[in-house]
Amino acid sequence: MKIGTKCVQEGYVPKDGEPRVLPIYQSTTFKYNTAESLGDLFDLKKPGYFYTRLANPTSGFVEKKIAELEGGVGCMLTASGQSANLAAILNIAQSGDHIVCSNSIYGGTFNLISVSLKKMGIDTTFIDPTSDYDTICSAIKPNTRLIFGETLSNPTLTVLDIENFAKAAHDNHIPLIVDNTFPTPINCRPIEWGADIVTHASTKYMDGHGTIVMGAIIDSGNFDWTKGNFPELTEPDPSYHGLIYTETFGKAAYITKCVTAVMRDLGISPSPFNSFLLNMGLETLHLRMKRHNDNGIAVAKYLKNHPKVMWVSYPGLEDNPYYDLAQKYLKEGQSGVVSFGVKGGKEKAMKVINNFKMIYIVTHVATLTSSCLHPASTTHRQLSDEQLKEAGILPELIRLSIGIEDIDDIIADLDQALSLI
Ligand SMILES: *Cc1c(COP(=O)(O)O)cnc(C)c1O
């Protein structure tokens, strides 16, 4: 199946006489006839459902679809994008361990790693996403457990050289985890370029309708845990009668432990109803992403030629520093997120977004309605102009999240808003 067909057909496949549409199994628990058969599930001797914190049929069908879309052996859905990244890291890192991480990542993930994980005893070295092979390798220490980065970063739109990061990771016997939220598997499948684990804030384009907060972790099944230093996967787990994940679950060792240990203990599970909504979003993902890509590049080109615009940041523009990487990793398109700077600084930027009639001011990104955000007056309003520049958030910066409306109406709104300043 091609990726567009997988969006529609993968996951839930009804048997004879069953509902055509994925049913919502809104049940915390599942019934068994004998104590023995339920006991086997607790010992991980056979697969099955017993408690929705660990697994649920509705979520399970969506996990299967997402694993197919990314090309992995398994997927675990989580209650949010934040908890997906948390679980992906905690599955193989603990107090005393170290992480190498791109410094161009989502602010929430940056806080998670630099503040909360640090308090839990996990230290991180942040490196530039443009680092060459030797720089990446020199950041890796004997206790480094993984490298983390974002394919197309939120909000700075840097493009990760996945092959380069994967090679550095693998030569040092550690996995590469890539947050693929902005591209989605339609625009990039990081596993095909060497990433070992992929994460998502499904809250964004995957849902796309702005209705749910959810996350996903996908295991490529390609990383050989026995060659590195991952005793939690390669040595007996006392909480499952000495079971060894790599021996019992083979290629699915990482994602199985993520469910049976991390999900069991942290309880970051999604609601079955949210999984149902996510599935509906995924059914049109290929159509929506194509439109976001087309509208995104059209808006970037329009702004580029506008006399009142100072600069435009979009990796699909030829003068963008990430253009070559985008042509390699994001060939299908670079999504609908476009940043630009208005001549006249902070005050003019605020005027422009106040002038918009159809492009709403919201903190969210990556949904089917066009929206905008002026970080200097909202998310970063406590910073002075000097501090904003240091943080790379210029006072004139407007972040647009271009939706799937008709491009003529989007450009008309930009046009009228800019004409009034
Ligand atoms: C939004 C986002 C997250 C966090 O997701 P939530 O669902 O808001 O918890 C993580 N990574 C990226 C790249 C994001 O854009």
Side-chain angles (χ1 to χ4, degrees), residues 79-83 85 105-106 108-109 148 150 152-154 179-182 199-204 212-215 364-365:
S80 64
Q82 285 297 106
S83 52
N85 284 327
I105 54 170
Y106 176 65
T109 314
F148 185 95
E150 287 178 11
L152 175 62
S153 69
N154 176 10
D179 182 330
N180 196 36
T181 296
F182 270 11
T199 63
H200 278 279
S202 321
T203 316
K204 311 289 167 57
I212 52 169
V213 174
M214 257 180 106
H364 203 23
V365 274

